[in-house]
Amino acid sequence: MIRRLGSALTAVILVSSTGPAQAATGEAVPAVMAALGDSISTGFNACGLYISCTARSWSTGDYQQVASHYLRLSKMSGTLQKHNLNFAAPGSTSADLLGQVRKAVEAKADYVTILVGAQDACTRTEQAMTPVATYRQRLDTALAELRAGLPAVRVFIASIPDLRRLWKVGKASALARTFWTVGHICQTMLARPDSAKQADVQRRDRVRARVMAYNHEAAEACAAFGAACHTDGGAVFSFPFTLDHVSKWDYFHPNTAGQQIMAKLTFEHGFTWIDPR
């Protein structure tokens, strides 16, 4: 999940075209930022029933309690204020990333976050999960498009959360099990949540391994991109979250507290930004 992580990472990419990377002294605060990825970055179910709450996005949200990347950066410079674009979309997989990248390029975003991959693993069957090589190829293509459209772009990749931990912290909750079953939520991991049969244990382990593989490939893709790409070092994947961080609307997406944690973890592992004041 970090650039050279070893266990896991989803894709949150922060992009910048304001100038060359300044590894030693830090990066200039961006003028425009955009979020790319899936429902996690849209704040889905963080403030209401089955709706996206972009104000509570860990990336571009403007809800004070979350303390998103956008809010932290806009306090450093007035140039970013109200230039927080969110091109993420619920249900998106790595296949949708390129289209979102093109929107970011068109908007001339100079700081873009990408968190994508949970939906590549959360399918009806294991066979339907995105192959690891395909996931990597899609990331490489998206990153190449970013660099072509925004030559000085900076990229931040956040790790995919640990789906098996979600099962562990929620399996004892009758409400969580009901939502997962009735809503057919992430069936590769959450089907038959109270089963201790070997086949189900092994299935969950394989799905977790797939998420870890996605994170590893995202980290490698980031490393290949160069100094203008950072990751969270697996911080999101490794965080020991509880049901207190999960939406009670579906027991899957981060709630406001979960979005707040994600904002903190990812910002701390991101770029060193220059406060121009």
Side-chain angles (χ1 to χ4, degrees), residues 1-3 5 8-12 14 58 69 115 156-161 215 219 222 229-239 262 264-270:
M1 301 186 319
I2 183 170
R3 299 178 58 183
L5 103 149
L9 150 171
T10 212
V12 171
L14 291 143
W58 63 271
H69 286 229
L115 173 54
F156 175 84
I157 301 183
S159 54
I160 304 163
N215 284 335
C222 184
C229 183
H230 287 202
T231 73
D232 70 2
V236 171
F237 178 86
S238 302
F239 180 72
M262 290 185 63
K264 181 177 185 295
L265 291 173
T266 52
F267 196 80
E268 289 176 349
H269 286 81

PDB file of all heavy atoms in Angstrom, residues 1-3 5 8-12 14 58 69 115 156-161 215 219 222 229-239 262 264-270:
ATOM      1  N   MET A   1       0.800  -1.180   0.000  1.00  0.00           N
ATOM      2  CA  MET A   1       0.000   0.000   0.000  1.00  0.00           C
ATOM      3  C   MET A   1       0.843   1.242   0.000  1.00  0.00           C
ATOM      4  O   MET A   1       0.381   2.274  -0.243  1.00  0.00           O
ATOM      5  CB  MET A   1      -0.884   0.021   1.196  1.00  0.00           C
ATOM      6  CG  MET A   1      -1.698  -1.180   1.122  1.00  0.00           C
ATOM      7  SD  MET A   1      -2.930  -1.467   2.186  1.00  0.00           S
ATOM      8  CE  MET A   1      -2.419  -1.015   3.653  1.00  0.00           C
ATOM      9  N   ILE A   2       1.988   1.247   0.299  1.00  0.00           N
ATOM     10  CA  ILE A   2       2.786   2.431   0.127  1.00  0.00           C
ATOM     11  C   ILE A   2       3.490   2.260  -1.193  1.00  0.00           C
ATOM     12  O   ILE A   2       3.256   1.311  -1.896  1.00  0.00           O
ATOM     13  CB  ILE A   2       3.835   2.568   1.219  1.00  0.00           C
ATOM     14  CG1 ILE A   2       4.600   3.837   1.055  1.00  0.00           C
ATOM     15  CG2 ILE A   2       4.755   1.407   1.174  1.00  0.00           C
ATOM     16  CD1 ILE A   2       5.471   4.168   2.201  1.00  0.00           C
ATOM     17  N   ARG A   3       4.397   3.151  -1.484  1.00  0.00           N
ATOM     18  CA  ARG A   3       5.073   3.022  -2.752  1.00  0.00           C
ATOM     19  C   ARG A   3       5.801   1.719  -2.839  1.00  0.00           C
ATOM     20  O   ARG A   3       5.896   1.109  -3.886  1.00  0.00           O
ATOM     21  CB  ARG A   3       6.043   4.191  -2.929  1.00  0.00           C
ATOM     22  CG  ARG A   3       5.305   5.495  -2.916  1.00  0.00           C
ATOM     23  CD  ARG A   3       6.238   6.618  -3.029  1.00  0.00           C
ATOM     24  NE  ARG A   3       7.002   6.474  -4.237  1.00  0.00           N
ATOM     25  CZ  ARG A   3       7.954   7.311  -4.570  1.00  0.00           C
ATOM     26  NH1 ARG A   3       8.236   8.280  -3.770  1.00  0.00           N
ATOM     27  NH2 ARG A   3       8.615   7.157  -5.692  1.00  0.00           N
ATOM     28  N   LEU A   5       5.174  -0.741  -0.536  1.00  0.00           N
ATOM     29  CA  LEU A   5       4.509  -1.434   0.546  1.00  0.00           C
ATOM     30  C   LEU A   5       4.767  -2.912   0.475  1.00  0.00           C
ATOM     31  O   LEU A   5       5.432  -3.393  -0.400  1.00  0.00           O
ATOM     32  CB  LEU A   5       3.012  -1.167   0.435  1.00  0.00           C
ATOM     33  CG  LEU A   5       2.175  -2.281  -0.120  1.00  0.00           C
ATOM     34  CD1 LEU A   5       0.812  -2.163   0.531  1.00  0.00           C
ATOM     35  CD2 LEU A   5       2.038  -2.269  -1.577  1.00  0.00           C
ATOM     36  N   ALA A   8      -0.731  -4.023   1.505  1.00  0.00           N
ATOM     37  CA  ALA A   8      -1.936  -3.684   0.798  1.00  0.00           C
ATOM     38  C   ALA A   8      -2.092  -2.227   0.546  1.00  0.00           C
ATOM     39  O   ALA A   8      -1.552  -1.413   1.213  1.00  0.00           O
ATOM     40  CB  ALA A   8      -3.131  -4.206   1.560  1.00  0.00           C
ATOM     41  N   LEU A   9      -2.922  -1.886  -0.434  1.00  0.00           N
ATOM     42  CA  LEU A   9      -3.135  -0.494  -0.745  1.00  0.00           C
ATOM     43  C   LEU A   9      -4.194  -0.348  -1.813  1.00  0.00           C
ATOM     44  O   LEU A   9      -4.215  -1.115  -2.690  1.00  0.00           O
ATOM     45  CB  LEU A   9      -1.800   0.075  -1.136  1.00  0.00           C
ATOM     46  CG  LEU A   9      -1.687   1.198  -2.118  1.00  0.00           C
ATOM     47  CD1 LEU A   9      -0.273   1.685  -2.145  1.00  0.00           C
ATOM     48  CD2 LEU A   9      -2.156   0.882  -3.453  1.00  0.00           C
ATOM     49  N   THR A  10      -5.092   0.520  -1.755  1.00  0.00           N
ATOM     50  CA  THR A  10      -6.170   0.734  -2.716  1.00  0.00           C
ATOM     51  C   THR A  10      -5.800   1.892  -3.534  1.00  0.00           C
ATOM     52  O   THR A  10      -4.860   2.472  -3.277  1.00  0.00           O
ATOM     53  CB  THR A  10      -7.423   1.117  -1.984  1.00  0.00           C
ATOM     54  OG1 THR A  10      -8.441   0.611  -2.739  1.00  0.00           O
ATOM     55  CG2 THR A  10      -7.687   2.474  -1.969  1.00  0.00           C
ATOM     56  N   ALA A  11      -6.478   2.403  -4.282  1.00  0.00           N
ATOM     57  CA  ALA A  11      -5.933   3.465  -5.027  1.00  0.00           C
ATOM     58  C   ALA A  11      -6.577   4.779  -4.755  1.00  0.00           C
ATOM     59  O   ALA A  11      -7.638   5.049  -5.182  1.00  0.00           O
ATOM     60  CB  ALA A  11      -6.014   3.140  -6.478  1.00  0.00           C
ATOM     61  N   VAL A  12      -5.861   5.608  -4.120  1.00  0.00           N
ATOM     62  CA  VAL A  12      -6.265   6.986  -3.991  1.00  0.00           C
ATOM     63  C   VAL A  12      -5.168   7.745  -4.645  1.00  0.00           C
ATOM     64  O   VAL A  12      -4.063   7.649  -4.225  1.00  0.00           O
ATOM     65  CB  VAL A  12      -6.265   7.479  -2.574  1.00  0.00           C
ATOM     66  CG1 VAL A  12      -6.470   8.958  -2.576  1.00  0.00           C
ATOM     67  CG2 VAL A  12      -7.310   6.788  -1.808  1.00  0.00           C
ATOM     68  N   LEU A  14      -3.511  11.366  -5.739  1.00  0.00           N
ATOM     69  CA  LEU A  14      -3.598  12.800  -5.673  1.00  0.00           C
ATOM     70  C   LEU A  14      -2.689  13.342  -6.757  1.00  0.00           C
ATOM     71  O   LEU A  14      -1.561  12.951  -6.859  1.00  0.00           O
ATOM     72  CB  LEU A  14      -3.140  13.288  -4.313  1.00  0.00           C
ATOM     73  CG  LEU A  14      -4.115  12.897  -3.255  1.00  0.00           C
ATOM     74  CD1 LEU A  14      -3.405  12.523  -2.001  1.00  0.00           C
ATOM     75  CD2 LEU A  14      -5.079  14.010  -2.995  1.00  0.00           C
ATOM     76  N   TRP A  58     -13.179  11.935   2.669  1.00  0.00           N
ATOM     77  CA  TRP A  58     -11.854  12.092   3.268  1.00  0.00           C
ATOM     78  C   TRP A  58     -10.924  12.913   2.378  1.00  0.00           C
ATOM     79  O   TRP A  58      -9.967  13.525   2.837  1.00  0.00           O
ATOM     80  CB  TRP A  58     -11.219  10.729   3.511  1.00  0.00           C
ATOM     81  CG  TRP A  58     -10.972   9.970   2.244  1.00  0.00           C
ATOM     82  CD1 TRP A  58     -11.823   9.121   1.589  1.00  0.00           C
ATOM     83  CD2 TRP A  58      -9.795  10.025   1.443  1.00  0.00           C
ATOM     84  NE1 TRP A  58     -11.250   8.657   0.437  1.00  0.00           N
ATOM     85  CE2 TRP A  58     -10.015   9.194   0.322  1.00  0.00           C
ATOM     86  CE3 TRP A  58      -8.582  10.701   1.570  1.00  0.00           C
ATOM     87  CZ2 TRP A  58      -9.058   9.007  -0.664  1.00  0.00           C
ATOM     88  CZ3 TRP A  58      -7.626  10.522   0.576  1.00  0.00           C
ATOM     89  CH2 TRP A  58      -7.877   9.669  -0.530  1.00  0.00           C
ATOM     90  N   HIS A  69      -8.407  16.233   3.149  1.00  0.00           N
ATOM     91  CA  HIS A  69      -7.235  16.808   2.508  1.00  0.00           C
ATOM     92  C   HIS A  69      -7.555  18.219   2.032  1.00  0.00           C
ATOM     93  O   HIS A  69      -6.739  19.136   2.178  1.00  0.00           O
ATOM     94  CB  HIS A  69      -6.824  15.950   1.305  1.00  0.00           C
ATOM     95  CG  HIS A  69      -6.172  14.665   1.665  1.00  0.00           C
ATOM     96  ND1 HIS A  69      -4.992  14.232   1.099  1.00  0.00           N
ATOM     97  CD2 HIS A  69      -6.536  13.688   2.532  1.00  0.00           C
ATOM     98  CE1 HIS A  69      -4.656  13.054   1.593  1.00  0.00           C
ATOM     99  NE2 HIS A  69      -5.590  12.704   2.467  1.00  0.00           N
ATOM    100  N   LEU A 115      -8.753   6.299  -4.894  1.00  0.00           N
ATOM    101  CA  LEU A 115      -8.923   5.127  -4.033  1.00  0.00           C
ATOM    102  C   LEU A 115      -9.838   4.183  -4.790  1.00  0.00           C
ATOM    103  O   LEU A 115     -11.032   4.420  -4.901  1.00  0.00           O
ATOM    104  CB  LEU A 115      -9.550   5.534  -2.699  1.00  0.00           C
ATOM    105  CG  LEU A 115      -9.955   4.391  -1.759  1.00  0.00           C
ATOM    106  CD1 LEU A 115      -8.803   3.445  -1.490  1.00  0.00           C
ATOM    107  CD2 LEU A 115     -10.501   4.937  -0.461  1.00  0.00           C
ATOM    108  N   PHE A 156      -1.164  10.596  -5.389  1.00  0.00           N
ATOM    109  CA  PHE A 156      -1.168   9.910  -4.088  1.00  0.00           C
ATOM    110  C   PHE A 156      -2.088   8.704  -4.178  1.00  0.00           C
ATOM    111  O   PHE A 156      -3.238   8.820  -4.577  1.00  0.00           O
ATOM    112  CB  PHE A 156      -1.651  10.849  -2.981  1.00  0.00           C
ATOM    113  CG  PHE A 156      -1.786  10.157  -1.653  1.00  0.00           C
ATOM    114  CD1 PHE A 156      -0.696   9.998  -0.819  1.00  0.00           C
ATOM    115  CD2 PHE A 156      -3.008   9.651  -1.249  1.00  0.00           C
ATOM    116  CE1 PHE A 156      -0.816   9.337   0.402  1.00  0.00           C
ATOM    117  CE2 PHE A 156      -3.140   8.996  -0.035  1.00  0.00           C
ATOM    118  CZ  PHE A 156      -2.047   8.845   0.785  1.00  0.00           C
ATOM    119  N   ILE A 157      -1.590   7.538  -3.804  1.00  0.00           N
ATOM    120  CA  ILE A 157      -2.401   6.328  -3.836  1.00  0.00           C
ATOM    121  C   ILE A 157      -2.658   5.833  -2.419  1.00  0.00           C
ATOM    122  O   ILE A 157      -1.726   5.567  -1.670  1.00  0.00           O
ATOM    123  CB  ILE A 157      -1.726   5.212  -4.652  1.00  0.00           C
ATOM    124  CG1 ILE A 157      -1.490   5.685  -6.081  1.00  0.00           C
ATOM    125  CG2 ILE A 157      -2.584   3.966  -4.646  1.00  0.00           C
ATOM    126  CD1 ILE A 157      -0.883   4.629  -6.976  1.00  0.00           C
ATOM    127  N   ALA A 158      -3.931   5.699  -2.083  1.00  0.00           N
ATOM    128  CA  ALA A 158      -4.313   5.205  -0.763  1.00  0.00           C
ATOM    129  C   ALA A 158      -4.645   3.721  -0.832  1.00  0.00           C
ATOM    130  O   ALA A 158      -5.125   3.241  -1.849  1.00  0.00           O
ATOM    131  CB  ALA A 158      -5.522   5.974  -0.250  1.00  0.00           C
ATOM    132  N   SER A 159      -4.404   3.006   0.201  1.00  0.00           N
ATOM    133  CA  SER A 159      -4.633   1.561   0.204  1.00  0.00           C
ATOM    134  C   SER A 159      -6.105   1.207   0.375  1.00  0.00           C
ATOM    135  O   SER A 159      -6.871   1.922   1.004  1.00  0.00           O
ATOM    136  CB  SER A 159      -3.803   0.892   1.299  1.00  0.00           C
ATOM    137  OG  SER A 159      -4.049   1.481   2.548  1.00  0.00           O
ATOM    138  N   ILE A 160      -6.468   0.085  -0.207  1.00  0.00           N
ATOM    139  CA  ILE A 160      -7.821  -0.463  -0.074  1.00  0.00           C
ATOM    140  C   ILE A 160      -7.974  -0.993   1.352  1.00  0.00           C
ATOM    141  O   ILE A 160      -7.079  -1.662   1.862  1.00  0.00           O
ATOM    142  CB  ILE A 160      -8.050  -1.611  -1.076  1.00  0.00           C
ATOM    143  CG1 ILE A 160      -7.785  -1.138  -2.497  1.00  0.00           C
ATOM    144  CG2 ILE A 160      -9.447  -2.203  -0.937  1.00  0.00           C
ATOM    145  CD1 ILE A 160      -7.591  -2.268  -3.485  1.00  0.00           C
ATOM    146  N   PRO A 161      -9.089  -0.713   1.995  1.00  0.00           N
ATOM    147  CA  PRO A 161      -9.291  -1.219   3.364  1.00  0.00           C
ATOM    148  C   PRO A 161      -9.292  -2.742   3.407  1.00  0.00           C
ATOM    149  O   PRO A 161      -9.543  -3.419   2.404  1.00  0.00           O
ATOM    150  CB  PRO A 161     -10.667  -0.659   3.745  1.00  0.00           C
ATOM    151  CG  PRO A 161     -10.855   0.530   2.863  1.00  0.00           C
ATOM    152  CD  PRO A 161     -10.188   0.166   1.565  1.00  0.00           C
ATOM    153  N   ASN A 215      -3.168  -3.940  -3.745  1.00  0.00           N
ATOM    154  CA  ASN A 215      -2.420  -2.899  -3.059  1.00  0.00           C
ATOM    155  C   ASN A 215      -0.936  -2.923  -3.426  1.00  0.00           C
ATOM    156  O   ASN A 215      -0.298  -1.884  -3.593  1.00  0.00           O
ATOM    157  CB  ASN A 215      -2.588  -3.046  -1.548  1.00  0.00           C
ATOM    158  CG  ASN A 215      -3.941  -2.555  -1.076  1.00  0.00           C
ATOM    159  OD1 ASN A 215      -4.566  -1.725  -1.710  1.00  0.00           O
ATOM    160  ND2 ASN A 215      -4.391  -3.060   0.051  1.00  0.00           N
ATOM    161  N   ALA A 219       1.118   0.003  -5.398  1.00  0.00           N
ATOM    162  CA  ALA A 219       2.342   0.569  -4.849  1.00  0.00           C
ATOM    163  C   ALA A 219       3.479   0.503  -5.863  1.00  0.00           C
ATOM    164  O   ALA A 219       4.269   1.448  -6.001  1.00  0.00           O
ATOM    165  CB  ALA A 219       2.730  -0.180  -3.577  1.00  0.00           C
ATOM    166  N   CYS A 222       2.922   3.062  -8.524  1.00  0.00           N
ATOM    167  CA  CYS A 222       3.268   4.369  -7.976  1.00  0.00           C
ATOM    168  C   CYS A 222       4.779   4.565  -7.974  1.00  0.00           C
ATOM    169  O   CYS A 222       5.286   5.619  -8.360  1.00  0.00           O
ATOM    170  CB  CYS A 222       2.698   4.495  -6.564  1.00  0.00           C
ATOM    171  SG  CYS A 222       2.928   6.106  -5.780  1.00  0.00           S
ATOM    172  N   CYS A 229       4.643  10.539  -7.133  1.00  0.00           N
ATOM    173  CA  CYS A 229       3.577   9.656  -6.659  1.00  0.00           C
ATOM    174  C   CYS A 229       3.894   9.168  -5.251  1.00  0.00           C
ATOM    175  O   CYS A 229       4.996   8.689  -4.983  1.00  0.00           O
ATOM    176  CB  CYS A 229       3.415   8.461  -7.592  1.00  0.00           C
ATOM    177  SG  CYS A 229       2.046   7.359  -7.137  1.00  0.00           S
ATOM    178  N   HIS A 230       2.951   9.315  -4.355  1.00  0.00           N
ATOM    179  CA  HIS A 230       3.070   8.821  -2.983  1.00  0.00           C
ATOM    180  C   HIS A 230       1.901   7.893  -2.673  1.00  0.00           C
ATOM    181  O   HIS A 230       0.849   7.970  -3.310  1.00  0.00           O
ATOM    182  CB  HIS A 230       3.026   9.977  -1.982  1.00  0.00           C
ATOM    183  CG  HIS A 230       4.271  10.798  -1.953  1.00  0.00           C
ATOM    184  ND1 HIS A 230       4.627  11.569  -0.870  1.00  0.00           N
ATOM    185  CD2 HIS A 230       5.260  10.976  -2.876  1.00  0.00           C
ATOM    186  CE1 HIS A 230       5.764  12.201  -1.117  1.00  0.00           C
ATOM    187  NE2 HIS A 230       6.166  11.852  -2.330  1.00  0.00           N
ATOM    188  N   THR A 231       2.090   7.025  -1.677  1.00  0.00           N
ATOM    189  CA  THR A 231       1.004   6.188  -1.187  1.00  0.00           C
ATOM    190  C   THR A 231       0.899   6.344   0.330  1.00  0.00           C
ATOM    191  O   THR A 231       1.715   7.016   0.950  1.00  0.00           O
ATOM    192  CB  THR A 231       1.239   4.702  -1.516  1.00  0.00           C
ATOM    193  OG1 THR A 231       2.269   4.201  -0.658  1.00  0.00           O
ATOM    194  CG2 THR A 231       1.634   4.510  -2.969  1.00  0.00           C
ATOM    195  N   ASP A 232      -0.088   5.683   0.910  1.00  0.00           N
ATOM    196  CA  ASP A 232      -0.252   5.784   2.368  1.00  0.00           C
ATOM    197  C   ASP A 232       0.553   4.724   3.106  1.00  0.00           C
ATOM    198  O   ASP A 232       0.428   4.571   4.319  1.00  0.00           O
ATOM    199  CB  ASP A 232      -1.725   5.713   2.760  1.00  0.00           C
ATOM    200  CG  ASP A 232      -2.350   4.343   2.555  1.00  0.00           C
ATOM    201  OD1 ASP A 232      -1.651   3.411   2.135  1.00  0.00           O
ATOM    202  OD2 ASP A 232      -3.558   4.193   2.822  1.00  0.00           O
ATOM    203  N   GLY A 233       1.348   3.966   2.379  1.00  0.00           N
ATOM    204  CA  GLY A 233       2.182   2.962   3.019  1.00  0.00           C
ATOM    205  C   GLY A 233       1.389   1.843   3.658  1.00  0.00           C
ATOM    206  O   GLY A 233       1.863   1.187   4.577  1.00  0.00           O
ATOM    207  N   GLY A 234       0.159   1.646   3.191  1.00  0.00           N
ATOM    208  CA  GLY A 234      -0.672   0.589   3.759  1.00  0.00           C
ATOM    209  C   GLY A 234      -1.407   1.000   5.006  1.00  0.00           C
ATOM    210  O   GLY A 234      -1.999   0.162   5.690  1.00  0.00           O
ATOM    211  N   ALA A 235      -1.413   2.293   5.310  1.00  0.00           N
ATOM    212  CA  ALA A 235      -2.007   2.760   6.564  1.00  0.00           C
ATOM    213  C   ALA A 235      -3.502   2.481   6.649  1.00  0.00           C
ATOM    214  O   ALA A 235      -4.007   2.067   7.695  1.00  0.00           O
ATOM    215  CB  ALA A 235      -1.738   4.255   6.749  1.00  0.00           C
ATOM    216  N   VAL A 236      -4.223   2.701   5.564  1.00  0.00           N
ATOM    217  CA  VAL A 236      -5.668   2.460   5.590  1.00  0.00           C
ATOM    218  C   VAL A 236      -5.945   0.968   5.735  1.00  0.00           C
ATOM    219  O   VAL A 236      -6.785   0.547   6.533  1.00  0.00           O
ATOM    220  CB  VAL A 236      -6.349   3.026   4.328  1.00  0.00           C
ATOM    221  CG1 VAL A 236      -7.817   2.579   4.251  1.00  0.00           C
ATOM    222  CG2 VAL A 236      -6.275   4.551   4.321  1.00  0.00           C
ATOM    223  N   PHE A 237      -5.232   0.164   4.966  1.00  0.00           N
ATOM    224  CA  PHE A 237      -5.422  -1.282   5.040  1.00  0.00           C
ATOM    225  C   PHE A 237      -5.144  -1.816   6.440  1.00  0.00           C
ATOM    226  O   PHE A 237      -5.833  -2.700   6.937  1.00  0.00           O
ATOM    227  CB  PHE A 237      -4.510  -1.979   4.040  1.00  0.00           C
ATOM    228  CG  PHE A 237      -4.600  -3.484   4.070  1.00  0.00           C
ATOM    229  CD1 PHE A 237      -5.552  -4.159   3.330  1.00  0.00           C
ATOM    230  CD2 PHE A 237      -3.722  -4.227   4.845  1.00  0.00           C
ATOM    231  CE1 PHE A 237      -5.642  -5.549   3.375  1.00  0.00           C
ATOM    232  CE2 PHE A 237      -3.798  -5.605   4.898  1.00  0.00           C
ATOM    233  CZ  PHE A 237      -4.769  -6.270   4.158  1.00  0.00           C
ATOM    234  N   SER A 238      -4.129  -1.280   7.081  1.00  0.00           N
ATOM    235  CA  SER A 238      -3.682  -1.798   8.376  1.00  0.00           C
ATOM    236  C   SER A 238      -4.427  -1.227   9.576  1.00  0.00           C
ATOM    237  O   SER A 238      -4.292  -1.751  10.683  1.00  0.00           O
ATOM    238  CB  SER A 238      -2.178  -1.522   8.553  1.00  0.00           C
ATOM    239  OG  SER A 238      -1.436  -2.107   7.511  1.00  0.00           O
ATOM    240  N   PHE A 239      -5.198  -0.180   9.384  1.00  0.00           N
ATOM    241  CA  PHE A 239      -5.840   0.467  10.530  1.00  0.00           C
ATOM    242  C   PHE A 239      -6.845  -0.473  11.195  1.00  0.00           C
ATOM    243  O   PHE A 239      -7.702  -1.055  10.533  1.00  0.00           O
ATOM    244  CB  PHE A 239      -6.556   1.749  10.103  1.00  0.00           C
ATOM    245  CG  PHE A 239      -7.224   2.461  11.246  1.00  0.00           C
ATOM    246  CD1 PHE A 239      -6.465   3.118  12.196  1.00  0.00           C
ATOM    247  CD2 PHE A 239      -8.599   2.424  11.392  1.00  0.00           C
ATOM    248  CE1 PHE A 239      -7.076   3.764  13.271  1.00  0.00           C
ATOM    249  CE2 PHE A 239      -9.220   3.058  12.459  1.00  0.00           C
ATOM    250  CZ  PHE A 239      -8.454   3.728  13.407  1.00  0.00           C
ATOM    251  N   MET A 262      -9.627   8.117   7.848  1.00  0.00           N
ATOM    252  CA  MET A 262      -8.979   7.969   6.544  1.00  0.00           C
ATOM    253  C   MET A 262      -8.267   9.254   6.141  1.00  0.00           C
ATOM    254  O   MET A 262      -7.161   9.226   5.596  1.00  0.00           O
ATOM    255  CB  MET A 262     -10.003   7.569   5.492  1.00  0.00           C
ATOM    256  CG  MET A 262     -10.524   6.158   5.645  1.00  0.00           C
ATOM    257  SD  MET A 262     -11.616   5.675   4.288  1.00  0.00           S
ATOM    258  CE  MET A 262     -10.484   5.753   2.912  1.00  0.00           C
ATOM    259  N   LYS A 264      -7.014  11.558   8.073  1.00  0.00           N
ATOM    260  CA  LYS A 264      -5.821  11.724   8.909  1.00  0.00           C
ATOM    261  C   LYS A 264      -4.697  10.796   8.461  1.00  0.00           C
ATOM    262  O   LYS A 264      -3.548  11.220   8.280  1.00  0.00           O
ATOM    263  CB  LYS A 264      -6.180  11.455  10.368  1.00  0.00           C
ATOM    264  CG  LYS A 264      -5.023  11.617  11.361  1.00  0.00           C
ATOM    265  CD  LYS A 264      -5.505  11.402  12.793  1.00  0.00           C
ATOM    266  CE  LYS A 264      -4.393  11.692  13.804  1.00  0.00           C
ATOM    267  NZ  LYS A 264      -3.270  10.743  13.691  1.00  0.00           N
ATOM    268  N   LEU A 265      -5.011   9.525   8.290  1.00  0.00           N
ATOM    269  CA  LEU A 265      -3.996   8.548   7.921  1.00  0.00           C
ATOM    270  C   LEU A 265      -3.359   8.872   6.574  1.00  0.00           C
ATOM    271  O   LEU A 265      -2.132   8.822   6.424  1.00  0.00           O
ATOM    272  CB  LEU A 265      -4.606   7.146   7.872  1.00  0.00           C
ATOM    273  CG  LEU A 265      -5.043   6.519   9.197  1.00  0.00           C
ATOM    274  CD1 LEU A 265      -5.782   5.217   8.932  1.00  0.00           C
ATOM    275  CD2 LEU A 265      -3.832   6.274  10.102  1.00  0.00           C
ATOM    276  N   THR A 266      -4.191   9.189   5.603  1.00  0.00           N
ATOM    277  CA  THR A 266      -3.662   9.418   4.262  1.00  0.00           C
ATOM    278  C   THR A 266      -2.897  10.732   4.174  1.00  0.00           C
ATOM    279  O   THR A 266      -1.853  10.811   3.523  1.00  0.00           O
ATOM    280  CB  THR A 266      -4.784   9.398   3.212  1.00  0.00           C
ATOM    281  OG1 THR A 266      -5.836  10.301   3.610  1.00  0.00           O
ATOM    282  CG2 THR A 266      -5.375   8.002   3.072  1.00  0.00           C
ATOM    283  N   PHE A 267      -3.391  11.766   4.843  1.00  0.00           N
ATOM    284  CA  PHE A 267      -2.693  13.051   4.779  1.00  0.00           C
ATOM    285  C   PHE A 267      -1.321  12.946   5.438  1.00  0.00           C
ATOM    286  O   PHE A 267      -0.342  13.502   4.934  1.00  0.00           O
ATOM    287  CB  PHE A 267      -3.525  14.145   5.454  1.00  0.00           C
ATOM    288  CG  PHE A 267      -3.065  15.531   5.100  1.00  0.00           C
ATOM    289  CD1 PHE A 267      -3.443  16.110   3.902  1.00  0.00           C
ATOM    290  CD2 PHE A 267      -2.241  16.246   5.951  1.00  0.00           C
ATOM    291  CE1 PHE A 267      -3.009  17.389   3.554  1.00  0.00           C
ATOM    292  CE2 PHE A 267      -1.800  17.516   5.621  1.00  0.00           C
ATOM    293  CZ  PHE A 267      -2.184  18.101   4.413  1.00  0.00           C
ATOM    294  N   GLU A 268      -1.251  12.239   6.536  1.00  0.00           N
ATOM    295  CA  GLU A 268       0.025  12.081   7.236  1.00  0.00           C
ATOM    296  C   GLU A 268       1.055  11.316   6.409  1.00  0.00           C
ATOM    297  O   GLU A 268       2.261  11.483   6.592  1.00  0.00           O
ATOM    298  CB  GLU A 268      -0.195  11.359   8.567  1.00  0.00           C
ATOM    299  CG  GLU A 268      -0.899  12.200   9.614  1.00  0.00           C
ATOM    300  CD  GLU A 268      -1.195  11.426  10.882  1.00  0.00           C
ATOM    301  OE1 GLU A 268      -1.046  10.172  10.860  1.00  0.00           O
ATOM    302  OE2 GLU A 268      -1.575  12.050  11.880  1.00  0.00           O
ATOM    303  N   HIS A 269       0.579  10.471   5.503  1.00  0.00           N
ATOM    304  CA  HIS A 269       1.492   9.677   4.681  1.00  0.00           C
ATOM    305  C   HIS A 269       1.662  10.252   3.279  1.00  0.00           C
ATOM    306  O   HIS A 269       2.292   9.622   2.422  1.00  0.00           O
ATOM    307  CB  HIS A 269       0.990   8.232   4.575  1.00  0.00           C
ATOM    308  CG  HIS A 269       1.183   7.446   5.833  1.00  0.00           C
ATOM    309  ND1 HIS A 269       0.323   7.526   6.902  1.00  0.00           N
ATOM    310  CD2 HIS A 269       2.158   6.571   6.204  1.00  0.00           C
ATOM    311  CE1 HIS A 269       0.741   6.735   7.875  1.00  0.00           C
ATOM    312  NE2 HIS A 269       1.852   6.149   7.480  1.00  0.00           N
ATOM    313  N   GLY A 270       1.119  11.429   3.050  1.00  0.00           N
ATOM    314  CA  GLY A 270       1.183  12.020   1.726  1.00  0.00           C
ATOM    315  C   GLY A 270       2.362  12.952   1.545  1.00  0.00           C
ATOM    316  O   GLY A 270       3.422  12.790   2.159  1.00  0.00           O
TER     317      GLY A 270
END
